[in-house]
Amino acid sequence: MESGPEVFAGAAFALFGAALLLWTGVCLRTGAPVAEGTGRVVGPVTALLFGAVFLGAGCWMLTLL
């Protein structure tokens, strides 16, 4: 019963990380800005970093079940 919140948190983190990586990739491919008001390098690098961190954290939480 205690694994319910852990599954939800792991799935939420993993989905958010995967969506952030996908969105960043689409923005880079089309040439659209990743984040308004940031440089052309800082925005994508930060988004890719946080996307990988969230995806890794979600997968790590799901492996602890």
Side-chain angles (χ1 to χ4, degrees), residues 5-15 54 57-59 61-62:
E6 188 173 323
V7 169
F8 177 76
F13 273 94
L15 285 173
F54 276 103
C59 291
M61 284 182 198
L62 291 173

Side-chain angles (χ1 to χ4, degrees), residues 6-41:
E6 188 173 323
V7 169
F8 177 76
F13 273 94
L15 285 173
F16 178 74
L20 185 60
L21 289 172
L22 179 67
W23 176 72
T24 305
V26 169
C27 284
L28 289 175
R29 187 173 185 137
T30 61
V34 175
E36 291 291 327
T38 62
R40 303 280 293 161
V41 176

Side-chain angles (χ1 to χ4, degrees), residues 1-7 65:
M1 192 60 142
E2 294 178 10
S3 65
E6 188 173 323
V7 169
L65 298 176

